[in-house]
Amino acid sequence: MEKKNSYIKNLIDRMSLEQKIGAVLTLGFAGTVPKSHIYKYIEKYHCGGLRLSCDMRQFGSYVDPNSNKTVVKLENADGIRFPKNAPVPTAGQYKAVLDDLQARAKNRPLSIPLHFSYDQEGGSSADFFFGGVQLFTKPMGIRATDEPKMAYEIAKAVARQGKAVGFNWMHSPVLDVNSQPANPEIYTRAYSDNAEDVATYARETCRGLKAEKMIATGKHFPGRGHSDVDAHFKVPVIDVDGKTLRERELLPYRELIAEGLLPSIMIAHSIFPAIDPDNIATVSEKVITGLLRRELGFEGVITTDSMTMGGIATRYGVANACALSLAAGADIVLMKAENHLVEEVIEAIRTFIREERITMEELDNKVYRILNLKYEYGLFGPAENTGEPEKVLQDKAIKELARQAARRSVLIERNRENMIPVREEKVLVVEQKVKEYNDMYWHSGILYEECVRYNEKAAYLETSYSYDDIDREQIAGALSGYDAVIATNYFLRGKAGNRDFWEEQIRLHPNVRVVIVTNTPYEEISIPKNAQNVLVTFATSPENIKAAAAVLFGKMTPEGVWPLSAKKEAPERTEKELKNSAETR
C-alpha cells in the first residue's frame, strides 16, 4: 500500500499499539449529555470516533418485532432506568457538547481528532432531528422527484446542517437495490429497485456531501436489497447468482468507486453465497479483501455496520466478530453498545494482533486509511467556521428545498373511489404516534393538525405505531360513524406493521370510505391489498406530511413520479381527472 501523506505516516510511526487499536474503533454515544464512560473512550481507549444516537439515553437490546423476543440483550450497568427519551437540546447546545468532546480528543497525545458519525438518510432515519433542522424525504422519495439534481441539493443541505453542529461522517448513501418488495429493512431507504437509478441518484448525493466536506459512506456492500429478512434480528442470505450480483447489486459501487465518489463503504451483515457461502460478509475475506479491495479496486475506508445487530452478534459473538472483521480486511468496527463489550472488543483485537491474525503492517494500513481520510476532509485542521447553527437551520433556501422535495415526491398510488381530494364533511383522522421526537417542528399529530386547516370538523384518533388491543378496539368501533376515514399506515423497521388489520377493517366495513396514507409503495409491507384509495408520502417527516394533507384536500397537486421498475397497480389519475371526479361527488 502506497502512503503518500508524510504527515500521517510520521504520526503513525509515533503511535502506540493502544492508540492504533483505538483508531480503528467507532464507539457509541447515545443521548445528548455525555456520561463518564464517553470521556474514558476518548482519553483512555483513544477511540477514533463516536457514532451518535441522539434520541436515546441508552443504546438498547434488539427485539424482533414479529416474535417480540430479545435477539441480542445488551446488559447496561449505567443506572439508567428510562432509556428512551434523551434531553432535546438546541442546535447550539449540542454543538457545544461535540466541541468539548473534540477538544478533549485534540488534547490527547498526538492530537488525533474524532470523527462524529450519524445516520441522516431521510424521513425517520434522522439522528439529527432537533433544533428545527429541516428533514427531507427518504431516498426513494428523492427518486420520486424524478430529478437527480434534487439529490445533490438535498445532500448539500443535509450536510450543511450537520456540519453546523459538528457531525462530519455520514452513513449514507444507501446503495442497495431494493429488488425484493417484502424487504423489511431496506424498502424506501433505497432509491429504487433499478440499479441504474440507484447509481444516478447516489452519485448526486455523494457529490453534494463532498461539496460540503461531509464524509460519505456507501452501504450495505455488496447489497442488501434482495432479502425479506432484517439483519438487525436475523442473518439475511442474499441468494442471487454471481452474474446478477455483479450486474445489479455491484453496479452502483462499481460506478461510484471508479469516479472517486466513495470515501468509505459499509459492509452488510448478510451472507452472499455467490461469493462466500460460509461467512457473513462482515467477517468474510472473500467479500471484503477479494471482492471489494481487489476486484473493484476500492482504496478507501471500509467500516462494519453495528456489531451488536442480531445477524452478526448471535453467530460469532460481538468481540470476536469485531476482531474477525478487521482480520478479513475491514478498517473500522462500529461498536455502539456502551458497556463491558468495549473492553472485550479491545482485548479481542489485541489478541488477534498478538497471534498475528492481524499483522502490524495490516493494522498500520488501516490506521493510515482512516487518518488520511480525516486529513483530506480537514479534521486535523482548525475547527471549520460553519456559522451559528441556528442561522444555518433557519436558512430560507433550505426550508424551501424541504418543501419542494416534499411536494415533488408525494404521489397518489390509487384512487378507485375518487376519494382524493376528500370532500366529505364528517372525517376521522386515524394517526400513528411517530417516533419519540417531540418538539414543535416534529411531533405526533402533524397530519391531523394539517387536516384541520382544511376541515375544522375533522375528528382525531391517535394510535401507537404498532397497534395494541386498545387501538384496534377504538378504530373498529369508530369507523362506521364517519363519511370518510383518513388512516396512516406507516412502516418502520423494527416495528410490527398494521397492514393486515386494515385489510380486515376494510373488508368488514365495505360502506366506509377509507384513504390510506403510507410511507412506502409496497403492498407487501404497508398497503392493504383491498385498499381503494392510497397516498404515498415516502416519509413521516414534517414537510412530507404537510404536503400529504394538502393533496388529500385538493390544495396541492402531487408531483411524485413512480420510482420503481415494477408497475404500480393502477395508473395515477391526472389533475384533470381528479377535478372532474370531485365535481361529480
Side-chain angles (χ1 to χ4, degrees):
M1 175 180 172
E2 186 178 7
K3 300 183 177 77
K4 297 180 180 180
N5 189 328
S6 59
Y7 176 82
I8 299 300
K9 283 173 59 180
N10 292 334
L11 194 61
I12 293 173
D13 288 341
R14 296 157 57 200
M15 293 175 71
S16 68
L17 176 60
E18 296 306 316
Q19 287 172 319
K20 291 177 181 179
I21 292 174
V24 303
L25 298 177
T26 300
L27 301 179
F29 168 24
T32 53
V33 180
K35 295 172 279 295
S36 60
H37 61 262
I38 299 300
Y39 302 111
K40 182 168 69 172
Y41 294 169
I42 297 170
E43 296 168 347
K44 181 178 179 180
Y45 299 144
H46 316 284
C47 75
L50 295 171
R51 172 58 162 77
L52 306 170
S53 303
C54 308
D55 62 327
M56 60 186 78
R57 299 177 69 215
Q58 181 187 83
F59 192 73
S61 302
Y62 289 94
V63 180
D64 189 327
N66 296 314
S67 65
N68 205 33
K69 293 182 179 179
T70 299
V71 177
V72 176
K73 184 173 179 58
L74 297 179
E75 300 289 349
N76 293 293
D78 51 17
I80 291 176
R81 180 183 173 190
F82 306 106
K84 283 191 175 181
N85 299 326
V88 178
T90 66
Q93 287 170 332
Y94 193 65
K95 181 180 187 301
V97 170
L98 297 189
D99 285 350
D100 175 65
L101 296 178
Q102 192 65 272
R104 286 174 179 263
K106 291 189 175 183
N107 282 333
R108 299 181 294 191
L110 304 182
S111 302
I112 296 173
L114 292 168
H115 59 265
F116 293 119
S117 59
Y118 72 129
D119 269 353
Q120 200 79 359
E121 297 170 7
S124 57
S125 175
D127 288 321
F128 182 20
F129 60 89
F130 48 84
V133 60
Q134 295 300 305
L135 300 168
F136 290 87
T137 185
K138 288 272 194 181
M140 195 171 286
I142 297 175
R143 169 62 187 90
T145 68
D146 203 31
E147 184 177 344
K149 185 182 177 183
M150 186 68 77
Y152 173 78
E153 296 297 340
I154 288 173
K156 284 191 66 177
V158 170
R160 187 173 165 224
Q161 292 180 105
K163 291 290 292 290
V165 297
F167 297 107
N168 49 40
W169 197 317
M170 186 180 294
H171 288 160
S172 288
V174 175
L175 299 186
D176 299 321
V177 181
N178 200 60
S179 54
Q180 169 53 267
N183 195 319
E185 182 180 7
I186 303 304
Y187 59 109
T188 55
R189 299 169 66 201
Y191 292 98
S192 179
D193 60 353
N194 179 281
E196 290 286 359
D197 284 351
V198 171
T200 296
Y201 283 81
R203 174 181 293 109
E204 295 306 311
T205 295
C206 287
R207 288 183 59 243
L209 296 178
K210 188 174 183 179
E212 295 294 332
K213 293 187 177 180
M214 175 69 76
I215 299 172
T217 308
K219 64 183 184 185
H220 308 81
F221 184 86
R224 202 152 69 204
H226 198 73
S227 169
D228 60 1
V229 170
D230 190 332
H232 289 79
F233 315 109
K234 300 177 183 177
V235 181
V237 177
I238 313 301
D239 197 10
V240 298
D241 60 81
K243 183 175 184 292
T244 300
L245 184 75
R246 284 171 170 80
E247 292 179 353
R248 183 179 65 196
E249 272 75 13
L250 294 184
L251 185 146
Y253 290 98
R254 188 166 54 248
E255 292 189 3
L256 271 59
I257 289 171
E259 295 167 22
L261 288 173
L262 286 177
S264 69
I265 287 175
M266 179 180 286
I267 304 298
H269 291 327
S270 304
I271 293 176
F272 296 83
I275 307 299
D276 186 344
D278 301 317
N279 297 292
I280 293 177
T282 313
V283 300
S284 170
E285 185 175 0
K286 292 179 181 178
V287 171
I288 299 175
T289 300
L291 180 60
L292 183 52
R293 286 278 187 230
R294 294 176 185 151
E295 184 174 329
L296 297 185
F298 181 64
E299 297 179 351
V301 172
I302 298 174
T303 179
T304 72
D305 205 337
S306 175
M307 297 301 283
T308 53
M309 287 167 58
I312 189 83
T314 56
R315 190 178 179 104
Y316 302 99
V318 174
N320 183 51
C322 288
L324 285 170
S325 69
L326 293 173
D331 300 310
I332 293 178
V333 291
L334 173 57
M335 223 298 292
K336 294 163 68 176
E338 301 174 47
N339 59 14
H340 61 90
L341 288 171
V342 172
E343 286 79 10
E344 291 181 12
V345 167
I346 292 171
E347 182 55 36
I349 296 171
R350 189 186 293 113
T351 299
F352 267 53
I353 294 169
R354 185 169 57 247
E355 296 174 353
E356 296 188 343
R357 298 171 71 179
I358 301 171
T359 68
M360 286 306 302
E361 181 183 5
E362 290 169 341
L363 182 62
D364 285 353
N365 288 343
K366 298 175 193 300
V367 176
Y368 179 85
R369 291 188 193 99
I370 297 164
L371 298 189
N372 187 58
L373 181 57
K374 292 183 181 184
Y375 185 92
E376 290 178 345
Y377 276 75
L379 273 64
F380 276 90
E384 185 178 351
N385 183 13
T386 56
E388 294 181 22
E390 281 75 14
K391 289 185 178 179
V392 175
L393 270 53
Q394 293 303 313
D395 186 294
K396 291 182 180 179
I398 294 178
K399 287 186 172 183
E400 179 56 29
L401 181 64
R403 286 190 286 267
Q404 287 182 20
R407 183 182 71 249
R408 297 189 59 178
S409 59
V410 171
L411 59 83
I412 297 172
E413 196 273 342
R414 66 187 70 157
N415 195 21
R416 298 172 186 159
E417 296 179 328
N418 301 331
M419 279 285 292
I420 306 174
V422 175
R423 302 296 186 190
E424 284 76 6
E425 184 173 339
K426 293 181 65 178
V427 176
L428 173 66
V429 179
V430 182
E431 186 173 359
Q432 292 157 285
K433 179 175 173 56
V434 299
K435 292 175 74 173
E436 299 299 326
Y437 312 149
N438 194 35
D439 60 21
M440 288 300 289
Y441 175 60
W442 197 11
H443 54 269
S444 295
I446 292 178
L447 178 62
Y448 172 68
E449 292 165 8
E450 291 297 308
C451 288
V452 168
R453 292 180 57 193
Y454 309 118
N455 182 341
E456 293 182 354
K457 296 181 180 180
Y460 182 43
L461 183 58
E462 182 178 271
T463 73
S464 51
Y465 209 102
S466 298
Y467 295 162
D468 57 23
D469 291 341
I470 294 175
D471 293 327
R472 297 185 188 94
E473 183 178 344
Q474 288 185 329
I475 294 170
L479 288 183
S480 59
Y482 294 89
D483 299 325
V485 176
I486 298 170
T488 67
N489 193 39
Y490 304 135
F491 179 85
L492 178 66
R493 61 189 173 98
K495 298 281 189 181
N498 306 309
R499 183 199 60 178
D500 294 346
F501 172 82
W502 277 109
E503 283 189 0
E504 179 185 37
Q505 294 307 308
I506 291 171
R507 177 176 56 80
L508 293 176
H509 299 84
N511 297 323
V512 178
R513 294 153 68 85
V514 178
V515 180
I516 295 293
V517 178
T518 184
N519 58 339
T520 96
Y522 296 113
E523 275 192 350
E524 290 80 1
I525 56 177
S526 75
I527 298 177
K529 292 181 180 179
N530 57 353
Q532 302 300 303
N533 315 284
V534 179
L535 179 70
V536 180
T537 68
F538 290 106
T540 57
S541 44
E543 292 302 333
N544 279 65
I545 299 307
K546 291 176 182 178
V551 170
L552 284 169
F553 288 90
K555 303 301 181 182
M556 179 185 292
T557 301
E559 299 180 21
V561 173
W562 190 246
L564 303 172
S565 298
K567 301 289 186 184
K568 64 177 177 175
E569 184 173 307
E572 182 178 326
R573 297 171 67 83
T574 65
E575 183 180 5
K576 181 178 180 181
E577 288 174 326
L578 290 172
K579 182 178 178 181
N580 290 340
S581 66
E583 290 174 349
T584 62
R585 285 165 56 191

